[in-house]
Amino acid sequence: MARIRTIKPEFFTSLTIADLTPEQRLTFIGLWTHVDDAGRCVDEPRLIKAAIWPIDDRTAADIEIDLKALTESSLITRYTLNRKRYIAVTNWKEHQRINRPTDSKIPAPEEGDPTPPDPVTRHDSDSLSPHAQLTEDSPQERKGKEGNREGKGNPPTPRQSSGSPTVAQTGERAIEDRMTDAFLERYRSGNAYSQRQVRKVIADALANGTDSGELWKALERLGSLSKPVSAGTLQFAFSELRTAQNASNVIALPGQPLPGPDTTLAGWAAVAASFDSEDSA
């Protein structure tokens, strides 16, 4: 049963909260209305999804990723007792003042053991699902591919290599970490970029087969425009890069500006005519 809770203004200026994605922040707030008066609930992403995100296009796997981020930020504690999993909001009594609280039916965190990390992980080490690993033919994966055709989901994946990537892979750190650091060092000043969000977008794009050089050009474009880094804005940047590349391949004919493909065809016709004239000479 949902409960009325309060939220303090300091929430929105917290540096810990600022490192979370907007979805993870809303999941954290939603947990306050879902947990009991002691700040505890059953650790089941499907139930939490139904309670907090009932009409949104999110899955239990998405909620599991949110919960893992909240755990890593020490905002919640996940623990196990008698093979049952529970969640407790950290410092609950500092967040909420409950008038005549109802006794909790869920054991306290100190009575159980910390829940071990989920063995099923994503490429970027984020837990993907509490139950089973997604495959290429799973509903979530098919949904991501269908999202690309509708302008949603993961960004497009240019396959053409642009030579050596701007940020090269080394034996010390993963390329997504180095690209994230390089991007933030160059563009974070004056912008509200979240390191966690930028790294996740980069890791997802690389896992989707995007060439690292093309990805870096798209990130540079977003940084120069002070745009947020997300799957959607990457699509925008890739589209601009493609448009610029196509424009550079057009051969202009003096006095005969032609739109679109006609310009390219006419240009190649002019080049062929020049070769014919040289052969006849």
Side-chain angles (χ1 to χ4, degrees), residues 110-132:
E110 53 269 22
E111 298 179 38
D113 298 316
T115 300
D118 198 306
V120 180
T121 58
R122 292 178 50 146
H123 170 73
D124 57 0
S125 298
D126 279 329
S127 178
L128 186 59
S129 169
H131 305 293

CSV table of all heavy atoms in Angstrom, one decimal, residues 110-132:
chain,number,residue,atom,x,y,z
A,110,GLU,N,20.2,-5.6,10.4
A,110,GLU,CA,21.2,-6.1,11.3
A,110,GLU,C,20.9,-7.6,11.6
A,110,GLU,O,21.8,-8.3,12.1
A,110,GLU,CB,21.4,-5.3,12.5
A,110,GLU,CG,20.2,-5.1,13.3
A,110,GLU,CD,19.5,-3.8,12.9
A,110,GLU,OE1,19.7,-3.3,11.8
A,110,GLU,OE2,18.7,-3.3,13.8
A,111,GLU,N,19.7,-8.1,11.4
A,111,GLU,CA,19.4,-9.4,11.6
A,111,GLU,C,19.8,-10.4,10.5
A,111,GLU,O,19.8,-11.6,10.6
A,111,GLU,CB,17.9,-9.6,11.9
A,111,GLU,CG,17.4,-8.8,13.1
A,111,GLU,CD,15.9,-9.0,13.3
A,111,GLU,OE1,15.3,-10.1,13.0
A,111,GLU,OE2,15.2,-8.0,13.6
A,112,GLY,N,20.0,-9.8,9.3
A,112,GLY,CA,20.3,-10.6,8.1
A,112,GLY,C,21.8,-10.4,7.7
A,112,GLY,O,22.6,-9.8,8.4
A,113,ASP,N,22.1,-10.9,6.5
A,113,ASP,CA,23.4,-10.8,5.9
A,113,ASP,C,23.3,-10.0,4.6
A,113,ASP,O,22.2,-10.0,3.9
A,113,ASP,CB,24.0,-12.2,5.6
A,113,ASP,CG,24.2,-13.0,6.8
A,113,ASP,OD1,24.7,-12.5,7.8
A,113,ASP,OD2,23.8,-14.2,6.8
A,114,PRO,N,24.3,-9.2,4.3
A,114,PRO,CA,24.3,-8.5,3.0
A,114,PRO,C,24.0,-9.4,1.8
A,114,PRO,O,24.6,-10.5,1.7
A,114,PRO,CB,25.7,-7.8,2.9
A,114,PRO,CG,26.1,-7.8,4.3
A,114,PRO,CD,25.6,-9.0,5.0
A,115,THR,N,23.1,-9.0,1.0
A,115,THR,CA,22.8,-9.7,-0.2
A,115,THR,C,24.0,-9.7,-1.1
A,115,THR,O,24.5,-8.7,-1.5
A,115,THR,CB,21.6,-9.2,-1.0
A,115,THR,OG1,20.4,-9.2,-0.1
A,115,THR,CG2,21.3,-10.0,-2.2
A,116,PRO,N,24.5,-10.9,-1.6
A,116,PRO,CA,25.7,-11.0,-2.4
A,116,PRO,C,25.4,-10.3,-3.8
A,116,PRO,O,24.2,-10.3,-4.2
A,116,PRO,CB,26.0,-12.4,-2.6
A,116,PRO,CG,24.7,-13.1,-2.3
A,116,PRO,CD,24.0,-12.3,-1.3
A,117,PRO,N,26.4,-9.8,-4.5
A,117,PRO,CA,26.2,-9.2,-5.8
A,117,PRO,C,25.6,-10.2,-6.8
A,117,PRO,O,25.9,-11.4,-6.7
A,117,PRO,CB,27.6,-8.8,-6.2
A,117,PRO,CG,28.3,-8.7,-5.0
A,117,PRO,CD,27.8,-9.7,-4.0
A,118,ASP,N,24.7,-9.8,-7.7
A,118,ASP,CA,24.1,-10.7,-8.6
A,118,ASP,C,25.2,-11.2,-9.6
A,118,ASP,O,25.9,-10.4,-10.1
A,118,ASP,CB,23.0,-9.9,-9.4
A,118,ASP,CG,22.1,-10.9,-10.1
A,118,ASP,OD1,22.6,-11.7,-10.9
A,118,ASP,OD2,20.9,-10.7,-9.9
A,119,PRO,N,25.3,-12.5,-9.8
A,119,PRO,CA,26.3,-13.0,-10.7
A,119,PRO,C,26.1,-12.7,-12.2
A,119,PRO,O,27.0,-12.7,-13.0
A,119,PRO,CB,26.2,-14.6,-10.5
A,119,PRO,CG,24.8,-14.8,-10.1
A,119,PRO,CD,24.4,-13.6,-9.2
A,120,VAL,N,24.8,-12.3,-12.6
A,120,VAL,CA,24.5,-11.9,-13.9
A,120,VAL,C,24.8,-10.5,-14.1
A,120,VAL,O,24.1,-9.7,-13.5
A,120,VAL,CB,23.1,-12.3,-14.3
A,120,VAL,CG1,22.8,-11.9,-15.7
A,120,VAL,CG2,22.8,-13.8,-14.1
A,121,THR,N,25.7,-10.1,-14.9
A,121,THR,CA,26.1,-8.7,-15.0
A,121,THR,C,26.1,-8.3,-16.5
A,121,THR,O,26.2,-9.1,-17.4
A,121,THR,CB,27.5,-8.4,-14.4
A,121,THR,OG1,28.4,-9.2,-15.1
A,121,THR,CG2,27.5,-8.6,-12.9
A,122,ARG,N,26.0,-6.9,-16.7
A,122,ARG,CA,26.1,-6.4,-18.0
A,122,ARG,C,27.5,-6.1,-18.4
A,122,ARG,O,28.4,-6.3,-17.6
A,122,ARG,CB,25.3,-5.1,-18.1
A,122,ARG,CG,23.8,-5.2,-17.9
A,122,ARG,CD,23.1,-3.9,-17.9
A,122,ARG,NE,23.6,-3.1,-19.1
A,122,ARG,CZ,22.8,-2.3,-19.7
A,122,ARG,NH1,21.5,-2.1,-19.4
A,122,ARG,NH2,23.2,-1.6,-20.8
A,123,HIS,N,27.7,-5.7,-19.7
A,123,HIS,CA,29.1,-5.3,-20.1
A,123,HIS,C,29.7,-4.2,-19.2
A,123,HIS,O,30.9,-4.2,-19.0
A,123,HIS,CB,29.0,-4.8,-21.6
A,123,HIS,CG,30.2,-4.2,-22.1
A,123,HIS,ND1,31.3,-5.0,-22.4
A,123,HIS,CD2,30.6,-2.9,-22.3
A,123,HIS,CE1,32.3,-4.2,-22.9
A,123,HIS,NE2,31.9,-2.9,-22.8
A,124,ASP,N,28.8,-3.3,-18.8
A,124,ASP,CA,29.3,-2.2,-17.9
A,124,ASP,C,29.2,-2.5,-16.5
A,124,ASP,O,29.2,-1.6,-15.6
A,124,ASP,CB,28.6,-0.9,-18.3
A,124,ASP,CG,27.1,-1.0,-18.0
A,124,ASP,OD1,26.7,-2.1,-17.7
A,124,ASP,OD2,26.4,0.0,-18.3
A,125,SER,N,29.1,-3.8,-16.1
A,125,SER,CA,29.1,-4.3,-14.7
A,125,SER,C,27.8,-3.9,-14.0
A,125,SER,O,27.8,-4.2,-12.8
A,125,SER,CB,30.3,-3.7,-13.9
A,125,SER,OG,31.5,-4.1,-14.5
A,126,ASP,N,26.8,-3.4,-14.6
A,126,ASP,CA,25.5,-3.2,-14.0
A,126,ASP,C,24.7,-4.4,-14.0
A,126,ASP,O,24.7,-5.1,-15.0
A,126,ASP,CB,24.8,-2.0,-14.7
A,126,ASP,CG,25.2,-0.7,-14.2
A,126,ASP,OD1,25.6,-0.5,-13.1
A,126,ASP,OD2,25.2,0.2,-15.0
A,127,SER,N,24.1,-4.8,-12.9
A,127,SER,CA,23.2,-6.0,-12.9
A,127,SER,C,22.1,-5.9,-13.9
A,127,SER,O,21.4,-4.9,-13.9
A,127,SER,CB,22.7,-6.2,-11.5
A,127,SER,OG,21.9,-7.3,-11.5
A,128,LEU,N,21.9,-6.9,-14.7
A,128,LEU,CA,20.9,-6.8,-15.7
A,128,LEU,C,19.6,-7.4,-15.3
A,128,LEU,O,18.5,-6.9,-15.6
A,128,LEU,CB,21.4,-7.6,-17.0
A,128,LEU,CG,20.6,-7.5,-18.2
A,128,LEU,CD1,20.4,-6.1,-18.7
A,128,LEU,CD2,21.2,-8.4,-19.3
A,129,SER,N,19.6,-8.5,-14.5
A,129,SER,CA,18.3,-9.1,-14.1
A,129,SER,C,18.6,-10.0,-12.9
A,129,SER,O,19.6,-10.6,-12.8
A,129,SER,CB,17.8,-10.0,-15.3
A,129,SER,OG,16.7,-10.8,-14.8
A,130,PRO,N,17.6,-10.0,-12.0
A,130,PRO,CA,17.8,-10.9,-10.8
A,130,PRO,C,17.5,-12.3,-11.1
A,130,PRO,O,17.6,-13.2,-10.3
A,130,PRO,CB,16.7,-10.3,-9.8
A,130,PRO,CG,15.7,-9.7,-10.7
A,130,PRO,CD,16.4,-9.2,-11.9
A,131,HIS,N,17.0,-12.6,-12.4
A,131,HIS,CA,16.6,-14.0,-12.7
A,131,HIS,C,17.4,-14.6,-13.8
A,131,HIS,O,17.9,-15.7,-13.6
A,131,HIS,CB,15.1,-13.9,-13.1
A,131,HIS,CG,14.3,-13.3,-12.1
A,131,HIS,ND1,14.0,-13.8,-10.9
A,131,HIS,CD2,13.6,-12.1,-12.1
A,131,HIS,CE1,13.2,-13.0,-10.2
A,131,HIS,NE2,13.0,-11.9,-10.9
A,132,ALA,N,17.6,-14.0,-14.9
A,132,ALA,CA,18.3,-14.7,-16.0
A,132,ALA,C,18.8,-13.6,-16.9
A,132,ALA,O,18.4,-12.5,-17.0
A,132,ALA,CB,17.3,-15.6,-16.8
